[in-house]
Amino acid sequence: MRQRFLTVLFVILVAVLALARWGANLYTDWLWFQSVHYQNTFLTIIFSEIGLKLAVGTAFFILIFANLLPTKSQIIKAANQSRILEDENNVVTLYRSPLSQYAKSGPITAVYALISLVMAFFVGSAVTGDWVILQKFLHPTPFGEVDPIFFKDIGFYVFQLPFYEFIYRLFIWSVFLTAFWVALAYFVADSAGGQGRGFLRSDAARYHISFLAAIFFLARAFGYKLEQYNLLHLPGVIAHGPGYTAIHANLLAYKILFYVSIVIALAILVNIFLKRFRLVIYSVVTLILVSVLLGGVYPVFVQKFYVVPNELNREKPYIENSIKYTRMAYNLDKVERKAFPAGKSLTAEDIQQNRDTVDNIRLWDYRPLQQTYAQIQEMRTYYELKSIDVDRYMINGKYRQLMVSPRELNQQQLPDNAKTWVNQKLKYTHGYGVVASPVNEVTSEGLPQLMIKDIPPVSNIDLKVERPEIYFGELTDNYVIVNTRTDEFDYPQGEDNAYTRFAGNTGVKVGSILRRALFALSLGDYKLLLSGEVTGDSQVLYYRSLNQRVPKIAPFLKYDKDPYIVIEGGKLYWIWDAYTVTDMYPYSEPFERGLNYIRNSVKVVVDAYDGNVSFYVADESDPLIQTYSKIFPGMFKPLSDMPAGLRGHIRYPEDLFMIQAVKYLVYHMEDPEVFYNKEDKWSLPTELFGQKEQLMEPYYTIVKLPGEKNPEFIQILPFTPHKKINMISWLAGRSDGENYGKLLLYEFPKQELVYGPAQVEARINQDSYISQQLNLWSQRGTSVIRGNLLVIPVKDALLYVEPLYLQSEQSRMPELRRVIVAHGEKIVMEPTLDQALQRIFGQSAARAVERPQVESPDTKAQKSIKELAAEANRVYEEGLNRLKAGDWAGYGESTKHLKNILEELSRRAGQ
């Protein structure tokens, strides 16, 4: 008895703790949503989630309980029956069921209620996350385009059909579970009566289960109706979606099965009164035969003997459907196609006229650059430059590409003896600053020419970082507490450290002892409750990682794999591309996990300092984002509300561009006959990175497109013919101004050879001088890293550029030492891009020297010693580069300029 009591007590205690933890999580989530000003979003999600669970659970409870109640009288009657039993010795005994003492109305009703409640709980829990289906059903938006088979608006498939399927699946499972418990109840009644005849011999059992069977077949008829619509999502043989056989055979089968299921349901109901069980058997057998013949045999017959002999003509209209709807689902129908001449040669004058393009050719590959940054700018073991982002900025009046990397704090890399609770939760709370360098500038040591560096950030350009702290980022995956009695570590400062305090108000205040206890329970950290360093005014910062923070607010969006850091107005922001997706677009070929429609409808901006999150609508024409805007009023802002400085940094997203590019390899073919034969199928090119061949990645660059007046920031990916390595075209995703979001395809003449990336790589390998140098470096124990091969359109021709990095075996710091440039039949390798261009196009292709401006004494006097030292370093590097380029006049001017700066520093030191 005592053991049973302790067991029950333990179970109750576990249940109470679990409920308390759930309540604490719910409460702290509410506080968090309040702190980020999305409490209405939280209420919509939580009420939708709980409301759906309660509705499903209640409906299921009523269904099971109402079906179990009629069996109660059978159990009571059977259990209370007495029977006379005679054994082999002719001894007569009166038999009473052992259940007779429990077979009372009250206990049985209580058991039924408990069974119904438990099942309702599990079924209600099973619909977790399905609130989105309900809300989209309640707030549909028409697409303005109908499917080609049933002529229903695509919005029906995206918003309504998923809800009907959800109800259907739920109802079918409900009928199955109800039938199971009802059959079990009648089995218990039969066993309690000691009859052993089989519970289906009971009229009550037969009527009840027959009624449930009739309900099942009526529901199945509804299911066959839904399956007709789902034919539009079939994976086709030639093209995605239903073909001739599916429309003329499978669709016919589903229509007939719809009526057969209704007839079976009626036959079962009639059988309840006629008691002719054979009628039910005949009906079920008919359903099976129809399913096998019409659903299996007939489609195979049609495909083999009617479609295959004349396949193109039979399938042509359905191929056209697949092409049309797949192109619409991925916005490929809006790709602008233009001709790009092949075989054109550039001149030195062309190079000079396209300096905006040439001076932004990316020589730094992000992978070796990440290693180099780590060696020269991480400063401490606990800092990590995890990601490197390519973006464009106006630098001293010029439109330039920069590589930017945020310096985040990774607590996992703290020394073991420093991994105390105080350090991890109160002191080491944030990263600090960024590193930025131009995509094409290199020091004499082969290192990036840093424009923003060090701690605190030092900038030698007109782009400043005045709020460098990074409390929210990609590595901030734990909670911290700020404004405690312990100052926060800000950044290392020589032998000492600088400290700071969080100045934002976006955290959740610890408040009372009760709230502190709820935080301790929710976060699973009892030390939070006991710490004397935490006060009521302290703020808890949680869900700090971008991967936690943004999807917590909008879990219904799909996110790009690469959020990127932006410097604007002295502050740091994260911009993250978000997508609306669905797997219900008719006739569209999926790209992953069944998803077959995508739009970059949302730009998410997160303040790296205080964690404020804003959602901006980038594609107002998308019906899905219109529906989400109806579900969450006020959550999504128009793109025009985004600050102009940030709006200048939005870009064509990487994931979307790659998805569209892969689909376009096939779906650029609009002629169904060409599509059928795959005559013009394209492929993604390959390149060498390091010593391994890999698929070429899309890359950002600044280019003046043919016919355009201004350079623009675009994303580029070349295409090759299928199983060929020459280049057939290249795709550009545009990012600037009114052209944002547009895709542009440049096609080469098919009758002329344009070298593809793999062919250029092969030509590089075959060049005797280059291959000799590569082998020589390798024999000296130096690793040669071949960076991305970039195909750069200049005017109406192409430049191929590949950087080479050298890395010693003892060092993890790659150095950019050579640049390979190919144009036409020429391939050269030189220390700098400028020298390589001069080798190909002559001295007049050299970059115009920017003569240093002579500063007046007053101007110099206004600069600090630190600024003068930074300028001296810059001028020194500039002079070395000019010396290596053979620019003796420029080297002399740099030397004179450096002398003036050093004299000013000497004068200051003597004051």
Side-chain angles (χ1 to χ4, degrees):
M1 185 68 182
R2 181 181 178 185
Q3 186 176 0
R4 184 181 299 175
F5 172 77
L6 290 176
T7 301
V8 171
L9 185 63
F10 175 77
V11 170
I12 292 174
L13 183 62
V14 170
V16 168
L17 287 176
L19 187 63
R21 180 72 181 269
W22 177 82
N25 287 335
L26 185 66
Y27 178 66
T28 53
D29 277 355
W30 164 248
L31 293 176
W32 182 82
F33 273 91
Q34 276 189 315
S35 72
V36 294
H37 310 295
Y38 286 100
Q39 57 267 40
N40 289 335
T41 302
F42 175 79
L43 292 175
T44 299
I45 293 174
I46 204 69
F47 285 150
S48 300
E49 182 85 26
I50 294 175
L52 182 61
K53 287 182 177 180
L54 286 175
V56 169
T58 302
F60 195 77
F61 175 86
I62 293 171
L63 181 64
I64 288 192
F65 191 66
N67 275 277
L68 285 176
L69 280 180
T71 68
K72 181 172 64 172
S73 60
Q74 298 295 313
I75 294 178
I76 294 173
K77 180 180 177 181
N80 290 317
Q81 270 185 343
S82 298
R83 291 189 296 128
I84 297 175
L85 300 178
E86 183 177 349
D87 62 15
E88 58 185 10
N89 297 320
N90 297 322
V91 177
V92 177
T93 58
L94 185 66
Y95 172 80
R96 290 180 65 85
S97 171
L99 294 178
S100 59
Q101 59 179 321
Y102 304 108
K104 304 290 189 293
S105 178
I108 294 176
T109 303
V111 170
Y112 283 176
L114 181 61
I115 291 171
S116 302
L117 192 62
V118 171
M119 295 305 300
F121 173 78
F122 283 115
V123 173
S125 299
V127 300
T128 299
D130 289 325
W131 63 269
V132 180
I133 296 175
L134 172 63
Q135 285 289 359
K136 289 200 290 188
F137 174 76
L138 297 175
H139 302 86
T141 302
F143 273 68
E145 189 76 39
V146 298
D147 77 270
I149 305 301
F150 302 105
F151 305 105
K152 287 185 173 292
D153 188 274
I154 291 172
F156 166 79
Y157 298 93
V158 174
F159 302 115
Q160 293 166 295
L161 186 57
F163 180 74
Y164 296 146
E165 291 181 332
F166 168 73
I167 295 297
Y168 168 71
R169 289 192 301 266
L170 199 60
F171 188 74
I172 287 291
W173 273 106
S174 301
V175 172
F176 270 123
L177 290 173
T178 302
F180 169 78
W181 286 107
V182 167
L184 185 62
Y186 283 116
F187 174 78
V188 170
D190 183 68
S191 301
Q195 301 295 323
R197 298 180 304 168
F199 68 92
L200 286 178
R201 290 184 177 272
S202 163
D203 287 343
R206 284 204 307 271
Y207 293 160
H208 198 160
I209 294 176
S210 294
F211 177 76
L212 289 175
I215 294 297
F216 168 78
F217 282 106
L218 284 175
R220 195 69 191 93
F222 180 67
Y224 285 126
K225 187 69 174 177
L226 296 180
E227 287 176 29
Q228 295 177 37
Y229 297 123
N230 272 319
L231 282 175
L232 300 189
H233 306 108
L234 278 181
V237 177
I238 300 169
H240 194 82
Y244 184 93
T245 301
I247 297 304
H248 291 85
N250 296 95
L251 182 57
L252 174 64
Y254 286 138
K255 288 180 178 179
I256 293 175
L257 288 170
F258 170 77
Y259 291 107
V260 171
S261 295
I262 294 175
V263 170
I264 292 175
L266 295 175
I268 293 173
L269 292 175
V270 169
N271 180 67
I272 294 175
F273 302 100
L274 297 182
K275 298 183 180 179
R276 294 179 181 174
F277 195 64
R278 290 183 180 180
L279 187 61
V280 177
I281 295 176
Y282 294 154
S283 301
V284 174
V285 169
T286 301
L287 178 66
I288 295 172
L289 287 174
V290 171
S291 298
V292 172
L293 292 175
L294 290 182
V297 176
Y298 180 59
V300 172
F301 179 85
V302 170
Q303 180 68 26
K304 187 172 183 179
F305 296 102
Y306 189 73
V307 175
V308 172
N310 194 13
E311 194 171 44
L312 177 57
N313 288 334
R314 298 278 184 260
E315 298 288 2
K316 186 175 180 180
Y318 307 104
I319 295 173
E320 290 174 342
N321 290 339
S322 182
I323 294 172
K324 175 184 176 181
Y325 286 88
T326 298
R327 287 169 61 87
M328 288 194 302
Y330 296 97
N331 248 359
L332 301 181
D333 56 323
K334 296 181 180 176
V335 174
E336 185 180 358
R337 303 175 73 153
K338 293 185 177 182
F340 195 92
K344 297 290 184 179
S345 296
L346 295 172
T347 64
E349 185 181 359
D350 294 328
I351 296 296
Q352 295 295 357
Q353 290 177 353
N354 289 273
R355 269 291 157 191
D356 288 319
T357 297
V358 174
D359 290 346
N360 280 288
I361 295 176
R362 178 167 60 85
L363 302 180
W364 282 104
D365 187 290
Y366 67 92
R367 286 158 290 198
L369 182 61
Q370 189 171 21
Q371 297 181 53
T372 302
Y373 273 180
Q375 293 298 316
I376 64 177
Q377 280 294 303
E378 283 188 353
M379 306 299 188
R380 296 290 188 272
T381 58
Y382 43 78
Y383 285 131
E384 185 173 343
L385 295 160
K386 178 179 182 292
S387 63
I388 294 180
D389 302 310
V390 180
D391 202 357
R392 70 286 199 196
Y393 292 85
M394 291 300 296
I395 303 297
N396 299 331
K398 289 188 176 180
Y399 197 46
R400 302 195 63 180
Q401 272 193 110
L402 294 187
M403 313 288 280
V404 184
S405 183
R407 187 185 291 107
E408 296 197 62
L409 190 142
N410 187 347
Q411 291 189 353
Q412 298 301 316
Q413 295 179 6
L414 284 170
D416 290 337
N417 61 347
K419 290 181 180 178
T420 64
W421 187 85
V422 170
N423 280 347
Q424 292 183 304
K425 303 302 179 187
L426 312 183
K427 183 167 288 186
Y428 289 91
T429 57
H430 58 273
Y432 203 86
V434 297
V435 180
S437 60
V439 296
N440 64 331
E441 291 190 10
V442 190
T443 68
S444 58
E445 291 83 14
L447 301 179
Q449 183 75 54
L450 301 180
M451 287 183 167
I452 301 177
K453 60 182 179 178
D454 298 342
I455 300 177
V458 175
S459 173
N460 57 19
I461 54 176
D462 55 358
L463 188 66
K464 309 297 181 184
V465 181
E466 297 164 355
R467 176 58 83 180
E469 298 90 347
I470 302 174
Y471 283 87
F472 301 87
E474 295 183 87
L475 297 178
T476 51
D477 55 359
N478 63 333
Y479 84 90
V480 296
I481 308 173
V482 296
N483 302 136
T484 64
R485 292 189 175 96
T486 300
D487 287 336
E488 301 170 51
F489 167 77
D490 202 22
Y491 58 87
Q493 197 174 42
E495 297 296 324
D496 299 319
N497 292 326
Y499 293 91
T500 188
R501 298 183 73 81
F502 182 66
N505 60 358
T506 50
V508 178
K509 286 196 174 182
V510 172
S512 65
I513 188 65
L514 176 60
R515 183 184 283 191
R516 186 189 292 203
L518 290 173
F519 270 120
L521 184 60
S522 173
L523 298 170
D525 191 348
Y526 71 92
K527 293 180 182 178
L528 191 156
L529 185 61
L530 303 177
S531 175
E533 300 298 310
V534 179
T535 69
D537 290 329
S538 299
Q539 297 182 56
V540 185
L541 306 181
Y542 50 114
Y543 300 135
R544 297 194 301 139
S545 165
L546 296 179
N547 284 318
Q548 296 172 324
R549 193 172 190 83
V550 179
K552 184 75 176 177
I553 301 171
F556 43 85
L557 297 175
K558 178 180 173 62
Y559 296 92
D560 196 272
K561 69 177 183 297
D562 184 30
Y564 56 99
I565 199 80
V566 169
I567 308 167
E568 171 56 32
K571 295 188 66 178
L572 301 177
Y573 297 90
W574 296 96
I575 296 182
W576 201 3
D577 288 289
Y579 308 108
T580 51
V581 294
T582 182
D583 59 357
M584 296 300 290
Y585 202 93
Y587 265 112
S588 174
E589 183 180 87
F591 62 92
E592 67 174 46
R593 299 194 309 274
L595 298 174
N596 62 2
Y597 170 93
I598 186 169
R599 291 290 186 274
N600 175 218
S601 295
V602 179
K603 302 286 184 181
V604 186
V605 177
V606 181
D607 190 313
Y609 181 77
D610 62 23
N612 270 316
V613 182
S614 299
F615 295 86
Y616 298 96
V617 176
D619 186 354
E620 296 179 348
S621 65
D622 173 38
L624 274 166
I625 198 60
Q626 293 176 32
T627 285
Y628 289 135
S629 296
K630 295 175 192 174
I631 298 171
F632 304 101
M635 177 178 177
F636 299 98
K637 306 172 186 176
L639 193 61
S640 57
D641 285 0
M642 182 186 289
L646 289 176
R647 199 161 62 246
H649 290 280
I650 63 174
R651 66 187 191 187
Y652 207 101
E654 294 180 27
D655 286 358
L656 176 62
F657 184 78
M658 194 63 184
I659 289 168
Q660 290 175 312
V662 169
K663 290 301 171 193
Y664 206 67
L665 298 174
V666 174
Y667 286 94
H668 69 277
M669 297 180 284
E670 297 183 66
D671 184 286
E673 185 171 349
V674 174
F675 188 98
Y676 174 80
N677 294 309
K678 300 295 187 286
E679 297 174 19
D680 193 25
K681 185 179 179 181
W682 297 344
S683 295
L684 297 179
T686 59
E687 63 171 347
L688 288 177
F689 176 77
Q691 302 300 323
K692 294 182 180 179
E693 186 175 13
Q694 64 177 27
L695 287 177
M696 194 169 190
E697 298 178 352
Y699 50 91
Y700 291 103
T701 188
I702 291 177
V703 166
K704 185 187 289 184
L705 293 171
E708 299 291 336
K709 296 181 180 179
N710 300 314
E712 55 184 288
F713 187 64
I714 64 173
Q715 193 171 182
I716 286 180
L717 184 63
F719 294 141
T720 64
H722 187 51
K723 296 185 178 180
K724 302 288 184 182
I725 58 175
N726 61 292
M727 194 154 60
I728 190 73
S729 61
W730 57 277
L731 185 68
R734 308 175 77 173
S735 299
D736 287 351
E738 295 180 355
N739 291 320
Y740 168 77
K742 294 180 180 178
L743 284 175
L744 186 57
L745 181 80
Y746 284 98
E747 297 181 85
F748 301 110
K750 294 183 180 180
Q751 67 275 14
E752 297 186 37
L753 172 66
V754 178
Y755 289 120
Q759 288 174 311
V760 175
E761 296 281 19
R763 290 177 61 201
I764 292 172
N765 292 335
Q766 293 164 6
D767 185 279
S768 57
Y769 171 72
I770 295 177
S771 60
Q772 182 183 18
Q773 288 296 313
L774 295 180
N775 291 331
L776 186 61
W777 283 320
S778 299
Q779 291 169 6
R780 292 177 178 174
T782 299
S783 297
V784 179
I785 303 173
R786 294 171 68 161
N788 284 130
L789 176 67
L790 305 182
V791 182
I792 305 296
V794 179
K795 196 179 177 183
D796 53 3
L798 298 175
L799 279 179
Y800 302 86
V801 180
E802 181 174 279
L804 286 182
Y805 310 91
L806 301 184
Q807 181 177 336
S808 67
E809 292 180 352
Q810 296 78 25
S811 170
R812 290 180 54 85
M813 188 164 65
E815 299 172 359
L816 176 56
R817 286 301 184 182
R818 292 293 185 271
V819 179
I820 300 173
V821 176
H823 177 68
E825 300 302 319
K826 295 180 180 179
I827 292 184
V828 300
M829 182 175 72
E830 294 294 332
T832 67
L833 175 62
D834 203 45
Q835 288 173 293
L837 293 175
Q838 289 180 55
R839 277 275 309 276
I840 294 177
F841 302 107
Q843 291 294 321
S844 55
R847 181 187 301 177
V849 177
E850 295 180 8
R851 307 299 182 190
Q853 295 180 356
V854 179
E855 294 177 314
S856 67
D858 291 338
T859 304
K860 284 197 181 115
Q862 293 172 1
K863 291 188 176 181
S864 66
I865 292 178
K866 190 174 185 179
E867 289 173 328
L868 287 171
E871 186 177 357
N873 183 63
R874 181 183 63 78
V875 173
Y876 171 73
E877 297 287 354
E878 182 183 79
L880 286 178
N881 288 333
R882 288 172 172 171
L883 179 62
K884 289 169 67 176
D887 181 9
W888 294 100
Y891 175 69
E893 292 193 22
S894 294
T895 303
K896 187 183 299 183
H897 190 196
L898 179 61
K899 180 182 178 182
N900 291 336
I901 296 171
L902 293 175
E903 287 177 351
E904 176 64 17
L905 282 169
S906 177
R907 185 184 66 79
R908 296 276 190 93
Q911 285 181 347

